[in-house]
Amino acid sequence: MADDSDRFIEAGTPTFRRATLALFAAGFSTFAVLYGVQPLLPVFHDTFDVSPAESSLALSLPCATLAVSLLIVSPLSEVWGRKRVMAASLFASALLTIGAVLMPSWHGFLVLRALTGIAASGLPAVAMAYLSEEMHGRAIGLSMGLLIGGNALGGMVGRLLAGVIADHASWRWGLGIIGVLALFAALAFQFALPASRHFLAHRMRWREVPGTFTHHFRDAGLPWLFVEPFLLMGGFVCVYNYIGFRLLEPPFSLSQTVIGLIFVVYLAGTASSAITGHVAGVLGRRKVLWLAILFGIGGIALTLADNLVLIISGIVVVTVSFFGAHSVASSWVGRRAFSDRAQASAIYLCMYYLGSSLLGTAGGWFFQHYGWPGVAGFFGSLYVAALLIALRLTRLAPLPPAGGPAV
């Protein structure tokens, strides 16, 4: 029998299904743990007597610690191995989530949320590096889309469970159940993910680590691709952070359960990430990225209406836009970075989570002073900047192909 240990993973094979299932579960767990608190921000506002912007720290703080930790944990995966780092991340973040629900004080809760962000940092960039190393060029767009689809489904289920259970029992029960589900996802990941075929561990000299990051900024396209997630995620998280506050108030006066059900639209993100990633792999990322972003600008305009159907339609469009654009940009980074891919992915995701943390909290200021039109205007300005960058990237000279289309 021929030795196939050097072959890249092709779409449609049993190995592809195992890898994507494992990473789908990992993305599900990480996003459920991180974003399950989002519909609970109004609950924290009332329970702990904090402002809307302060309540957003339950989400912004772990995103900030995750962003910084990515830059440390990703180089460690070059030494310890991709799967080992990702599995440790999943188990630790699940256990810290369970511990957080037992904290009686707001500040104690925030401390454990910050630690959860550090623990979760071992998954996102390392998973992107694993896919970039193991998948064939024809399969990477679909596999990255499925990973992001797991993120979307985890975000949806986490938000939905937390919102519904908080309305009928307690936010602590809701977040605790998310922690238990995350433990099961970690177990599924451990048993399902195939071992790396193309990863070679090497000794890391820490004085050399900065160079493994900075050389990516000499590429003509990567620095611009690193800015995109900061803008896109910053605007997207503002929508979900503060839409609950708007819909709890008249004339809508929705219950926490109904608001939680709105997060079902994350299913649209699950589908759009995989579909857009596949289309971009066929047609080219330059032709798809700017269109996905433009779609989001149209979506936020719909949320300015006073009609609930139009508002929800706008949220659906914004969600499809974000996950589609994120799928394209993240896979593009993996294709342009020919070395130190974990570090390139770490920079991308550092900017992604910094956008969630810094711009997500900044959106609270716009909501407090200008209401929902202020949030929508803030979102629009971020997405217009992202659109201009995407249009600039259409003129980017492609690199030679490596197992797939030119990038």
Side-chain angles (χ1 to χ4, degrees):
M1 182 179 293
D3 181 9
D4 65 351
S5 61
D6 292 331
R7 294 181 60 186
F8 291 94
I9 299 173
E10 294 271 10
T13 62
T15 304
F16 178 86
R17 288 190 287 271
R18 284 182 57 206
T20 52
L21 173 64
L23 289 168
F24 188 92
F28 177 97
S29 171
T30 300
F31 264 58
V33 162
L34 284 175
Y35 290 97
V37 299
Q38 200 165 42
L40 302 176
L41 300 188
V43 178
F44 297 151
H45 167 67
D46 294 333
T47 302
F48 296 105
D49 192 27
V50 293
S51 70
E54 288 174 314
S55 72
S56 73
L57 290 174
L59 177 58
S60 296
L61 195 57
C63 287
T65 56
L66 189 156
V68 175
S69 300
L70 280 169
L71 303 179
I72 300 171
V73 173
S74 294
L76 288 178
S77 75
E78 304 284 357
V79 181
W80 294 345
R82 309 297 193 208
K83 183 173 180 177
R84 182 181 298 178
V85 169
M86 288 189 284
S89 167
L90 292 171
F91 281 107
S93 58
L95 292 172
L96 283 166
T97 298
I98 294 170
V101 305
L102 303 176
M103 293 300 295
S105 70
W106 174 242
H107 291 99
F109 176 73
L110 289 181
V111 167
L112 285 189
R113 288 294 294 166
L115 292 175
T116 300
I118 295 172
S121 66
L123 187 280
V126 181
M128 290 172 65
Y130 176 92
L131 291 176
S132 298
E133 291 166 350
E134 305 301 326
M135 293 291 168
H136 191 278
R138 290 188 296 269
I140 189 171
L142 177 58
S143 62
M144 198 73 76
L146 290 169
L147 170 65
I148 294 170
N151 298 347
L153 187 62
M156 183 204 75
V157 172
R159 291 167 167 99
L160 180 60
L161 279 177
V164 171
I165 295 173
D167 212 22
H168 293 86
S170 163
W171 69 267
R172 296 183 188 275
W173 275 104
L175 201 56
I177 289 173
I178 289 171
V180 172
L181 288 175
L183 273 179
F184 282 113
L187 289 169
F189 173 88
Q190 180 66 36
F191 286 107
L193 187 73
S196 296
R197 291 176 172 178
H198 302 281
F199 168 76
L200 292 175
H202 61 271
R203 181 174 298 176
M204 180 65 65
R205 296 180 180 178
W206 285 101
R207 66 177 178 273
E208 298 174 357
V209 168
T212 67
F213 286 95
T214 57
H215 78 87
H216 292 302
F217 289 91
R218 293 193 288 271
D219 180 81
L222 285 174
W224 294 106
L225 286 168
F226 294 151
V227 177
E228 289 286 54
F230 180 81
L231 299 170
L232 295 172
M233 184 58 172
F236 178 69
V237 79
C238 281
V239 171
Y240 278 92
N241 272 1
Y242 304 107
I243 193 65
F245 288 96
R246 182 188 183 194
L247 297 180
L248 282 169
E249 299 172 350
F252 307 107
S253 301
L254 300 184
S255 69
Q256 194 69 50
T257 296
V258 175
I259 291 173
L261 289 172
I262 290 173
F263 291 104
V264 171
V265 303
Y266 253 58
L267 287 173
T270 304
S272 70
S273 60
I275 294 170
T276 308
H278 178 67
V279 171
V282 174
L283 299 180
R285 295 166 181 86
R286 292 164 179 76
K287 298 178 181 178
V288 177
L289 180 59
W290 71 271
L291 286 171
I293 296 170
L294 185 63
F295 198 50
I297 296 172
I300 199 65
L302 289 175
T303 68
L304 291 170
D306 289 329
N307 182 287
L308 185 59
V309 173
L310 288 177
I311 292 172
I312 295 175
S313 298
I315 294 172
V316 171
V317 173
V318 166
T319 303
V320 168
S321 163
F322 168 73
F323 280 103
H326 175 38
S327 176
V328 175
S330 59
S331 64
W332 202 344
V333 167
R335 297 293 293 150
R336 285 196 70 89
F338 289 113
S339 64
D340 299 312
R341 281 174 166 149
Q343 286 88 325
S345 298
I347 297 169
Y348 178 93
L349 289 169
C350 177
M351 296 296 287
Y352 176 97
Y353 288 108
L354 281 177
S356 176
S357 177
L358 300 178
L359 300 180
T361 299
W365 184 89
F366 285 92
F367 181 78
Q368 187 172 348
H369 290 83
Y370 303 105
W372 186 252
V375 175
F378 185 49
F379 175 100
S381 66
L382 296 175
Y383 268 55
V384 166
L387 176 63
L388 293 174
I389 291 173
L391 290 172
R392 187 186 193 283
L393 287 169
T394 62
R395 301 193 299 272
L396 184 66
L399 296 177
V407 293

